[in-house]
Amino acid sequence: MPRTATGESSLSRAVRVLEAFTSDEPELSVTEVARRAGLHVATASRIVGQLAGHGLLERAPDRRVRIGVRMWELASRASPTRSLRDAAMPYLEDLHAVVGHHAQLAVRDGDDVLFLERLSARDAVVNFSRIAGRLPVHLSSSGVVLLAYGPPDLQERVLAGPLERYTAATVTSPARLRALLEQVRRQGWALLAGHVHADAAGVAVPVRNGLGEVVAALSVIVPNDDRAPSAVPVLLAAARGIGRALGVGGGP
């Protein structure tokens, strides 16, 4: 593939342009794309034009740029998480019907938790997660479950910090986080009350594949009150159901 004078490939630059967009800011000006991608405006404009020509980006009426439908189409075909989501959806829908707030499925990607699906109700408690959105892995109940069952090198890297704080309840002490991970492994579920938003509690359990490995986290976001732990049994039952759909008995 063509390379620039700096030795960077055109593909690498195109990836940087695509990574400029976030779930919070899905539309950007070309100038902002250039700034975030670390490119000259003219270079960014040329790459945006090429990606738009393939449908991977598109221009809004005001000339701002956003991810194109073609990108979504390709991603939905290729991702190995598709079979996981398909297996989980019937149980996620049942879980959502029971809790009446948010039910979501997430996987770990690097040091973040990535949300594959979320079902919500109109009057549900506040929730900062969204489909294809990310949160630091130490911050949410899903992330803590995935961290607890993750490889030791991941745990040590996250514990080395820094640990971002969202609320006064967010665990930012390595010692407290280590103890929380041990608790999750011991009891098989995580309850984080007010860690992302003071009014919300996250409750999560692991989902296992055919080898018994933890491949995802199933969680609910409910009001931060003394009823939050009551979601644990239905979460565990749903996780076992997803495990059976993936070809294993499931459960922690």
Side-chain angles (χ1 to χ4, degrees):
M1 66 189 69
R3 290 186 175 271
T4 67
T6 62
E8 183 183 33
S9 69
S10 298
L11 178 58
S12 295
R13 290 188 167 199
V15 169
R16 282 161 56 192
V17 166
L18 293 171
E19 289 178 338
F21 299 89
T22 69
S23 55
D24 291 325
E25 296 178 281
E27 290 190 1
L28 300 170
S29 68
V30 171
T31 300
E32 182 62 18
V33 169
R35 187 187 68 79
R36 294 186 178 193
L39 299 171
H40 190 278
V41 173
T43 302
S45 180
R46 174 176 55 81
I47 295 173
V48 165
Q50 292 172 340
L51 293 172
H54 290 285
L56 302 178
L57 292 177
E58 62 184 32
R59 292 187 184 273
D62 62 0
R63 303 300 293 166
R64 290 171 67 82
V65 184
R66 59 195 177 201
I67 297 293
V69 173
R70 180 66 171 164
M71 176 69 78
W72 169 82
E73 179 186 0
L74 294 173
S76 65
R77 290 181 195 168
S79 175
T81 62
R82 179 176 178 179
S83 59
L84 171 62
R85 180 188 174 278
D86 289 347
M89 277 306 295
Y91 302 96
L92 199 63
E93 290 169 348
D94 289 346
L95 180 62
H96 175 247
V98 171
V99 300
H101 285 271
H102 308 279
Q104 48 198 30
L105 180 72
V107 295
R108 182 178 63 84
D109 186 31
D111 294 352
D112 295 332
V113 57
L114 176 65
F115 294 91
L116 306 183
E117 185 59 82
R118 188 187 84 170
L119 302 179
S120 300
R122 185 181 62 183
D123 297 323
V125 69
V126 63
N127 184 9
F128 286 167
S129 65
R130 64 188 68 191
I131 298 172
R134 294 172 178 264
L135 285 173
V137 73
H138 76 282
L139 193 64
S140 71
S141 57
S142 294
V144 166
V145 161
L146 294 169
L147 182 59
Y149 291 96
D153 62 322
L154 166 71
Q155 295 173 11
E156 294 307 316
R157 184 170 69 250
V158 172
L159 285 164
L163 299 172
E164 184 178 0
R165 181 185 297 276
Y166 272 41
T167 73
T170 303
V171 174
T172 57
S173 159
R176 284 187 60 205
L177 180 56
R178 192 182 296 275
L180 177 59
L181 298 178
E182 292 173 356
Q183 180 185 37
V184 169
R185 287 189 292 268
R186 184 172 62 253
Q187 66 188 14
W189 49 272
L191 169 59
L192 271 62
H195 285 224
V196 180
H197 191 283
D199 294 336
V203 191
V205 300
V207 175
R208 300 178 185 273
N209 66 8
L211 300 176
E213 302 164 329
V214 173
V215 294
L218 185 67
S219 65
V220 295
I221 307 299
V222 295
N224 184 10
D225 58 32
D226 57 8
R227 294 171 295 176
S230 66
V232 172
V234 68
L235 273 165
L236 291 172
R240 286 192 291 269
I242 297 170
R244 287 192 293 271
L246 292 172
V248 68

